[in-house]
């Protein structure tokens, strides 16, 4: 199965900062990658799919890029509501795997 | 409006079989290319995909857990059922059901999750 590795595991930042989270796949997944945001006690929320397509209703400060094995999620100007844990997820050969998560904390 | 909700026991004993039900609305599993998945998350840990059932009754399972999992659907009741045998304390987690819509690569709607604790 394909493994997904996110970095960093924890990220401290301030409101207004630009932040980037990286996700690496153990083999090429084309652009079949999604990003989710999860807040404590809540289900994950789909933010971006197909590596760079913004889900409906998601603010434009979120963006995604990458293909093959390396992908990034960028938040252009952090808002208080963005402090959460972020997961990447891939689909390949009828299996789904998630990264280990990146916790975005207030500095 | 698409909604999903998990139900089942909050506590199971080691070696028992867990049965969880996902009841959904706003879509039909008889519609082509609709799929429902089960995903779990141990406390403080990452998400783990478990299983998927498709509109045409195709089923797919996690490689590491496939011998313990069974997924089924009742289209008339808008329900999907997951059974997991031989439960162990390491299976303590919040269990989510989630929909994938065509082409089936991502989870666009999730249930609220059901915490299942495995303890004697």
């Amino acid at each position: 199965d394909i493994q997904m590795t996110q970095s960093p595991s924890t990220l401290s930042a301030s409101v207004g900062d630009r932040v980037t989270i990286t996700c690496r796949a153990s083999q090429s997944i084309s652009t079949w990658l999604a990003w989710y945001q999860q807040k404590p006690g809540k289900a994950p929320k789909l933010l971006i799919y197909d590596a760079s397509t913004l889900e409906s209703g998601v603010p434009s400060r979120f963006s995604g890029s990458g293909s093959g094995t390396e992908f990034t999620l960028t938040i252009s100007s952090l808002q208080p509501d963005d402090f959460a844990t972020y997961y990447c997820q891939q689909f390949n050969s009828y299996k789904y795997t998630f990264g280990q998560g990146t916790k975005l904390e207030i500095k | 409006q698409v909604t999903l909700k998990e139900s089942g026991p909050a506590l199971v004993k080691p070696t028992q079989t867990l049965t969880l039900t996902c009841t959904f609305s706003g879509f039909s599993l008889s519609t082509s290319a609709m799929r429902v998945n089960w995903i779990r998350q141990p406390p403080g840990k990452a998400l783990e995909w478990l299983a998927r059932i498709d509109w045409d009754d195709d089923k797919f399972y996690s490689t590491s857990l496939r011998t313990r999992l069974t997924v089924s659907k009742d289209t008339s009741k808008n329900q999907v059922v997951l059974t997991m045998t031989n439960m162990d304390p390491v299976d303590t987690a919040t269990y989510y059901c989630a929909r994938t819509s065509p082409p089936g690569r991502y989870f666009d709607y999730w249930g609220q999750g059901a915490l299942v604790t495995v303890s004697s």
Side-chain angles (χ1 to χ4, degrees):
Chain A
D1 293 357
I2 295 176
Q3 306 304 311
M4 306 300 291
T5 303
Q6 283 182 238
S7 60
S9 296
T10 306
L11 180 57
S12 297
S14 302
V15 172
D17 284 353
R18 178 184 179 91
V19 298
T20 297
I21 299 168
T22 298
C23 181
R24 290 186 173 86
S26 59
Q27 64 187 72
S28 178
I29 56 171
S30 184
T31 56
W32 294 354
L33 183 106
W35 291 97
Y36 300 83
Q37 177 193 67
Q38 187 179 33
K39 296 183 178 178
K42 300 294 187 181
K45 172 188 174 184
L46 178 63
L47 297 177
I48 288 170
Y49 61 94
D50 288 345
S52 61
T53 303
L54 210 60
E55 175 73 340
S56 176
V58 174
S60 60
R61 63 181 179 273
F62 291 91
S63 64
S65 66
S67 65
T69 62
E70 187 150 340
F71 302 86
T72 59
L73 170 70
T74 298
I75 309 173
S76 60
S77 178
L78 274 173
Q79 299 302 301
D81 191 49
D82 300 339
F83 292 95
T85 300
Y86 293 84
Y87 292 94
C88 60
Q89 171 254 314
Q90 70 83 30
F91 170 79
N92 180 269
S93 299
Y94 302 103
K95 307 288 184 186
Y96 305 83
T97 49
F98 293 88
Q100 81 277 19
T102 294
K103 185 176 183 179
L104 182 52
E105 298 180 327
I106 300 175
K107 185 185 285 185
Chain B
Q1 179 189 1
V2 173
T3 65
L4 304 97
K5 187 174 183 178
E6 307 84 357
S7 58
L11 179 66
V12 298
K13 291 180 168 37
T15 76
Q16 287 187 336
T17 294
L18 171 68
T19 299
L20 291 171
T21 300
C22 175
T23 303
F24 56 87
S25 64
F27 68 99
S28 172
L29 249 186
S30 59
T31 299
S32 179
M34 284 297 171
R35 305 163 172 95
V36 172
N37 299 261
W38 287 94
I39 296 153
R40 71 178 179 179
Q41 185 173 37
K45 295 188 177 180
L47 299 156
E48 178 184 21
W49 175 77
L50 301 176
R52 186 183 100 183
I53 188 164
D54 294 358
W55 80 102
D56 58 0
D57 213 35
D58 271 350
K59 299 162 189 173
F60 304 91
Y61 297 99
S62 160
T63 301
S64 60
L65 292 168
R66 66 178 302 110
T67 60
R68 298 173 55 205
L69 297 173
T70 303
V71 64
S72 62
K73 64 181 174 73
D74 185 331
T75 304
S76 66
K77 293 182 178 179
N78 280 352
Q79 290 182 334
V80 170
V81 174
L82 178 77
T83 62
M84 180 181 289
T85 61
N86 194 25
M87 293 291 285
D88 183 272
V90 300
D91 297 312
T92 294
T94 296
Y95 286 76
Y96 296 98
C97 59
R99 189 188 82 163
T100 48
S101 52
R105 300 185 188 126
Y106 314 112
F107 310 106
D108 55 359
Y109 288 92
W110 296 64
Q112 64 190 25
L115 175 62
V116 178
T117 301
V118 184
S119 175
S120 54

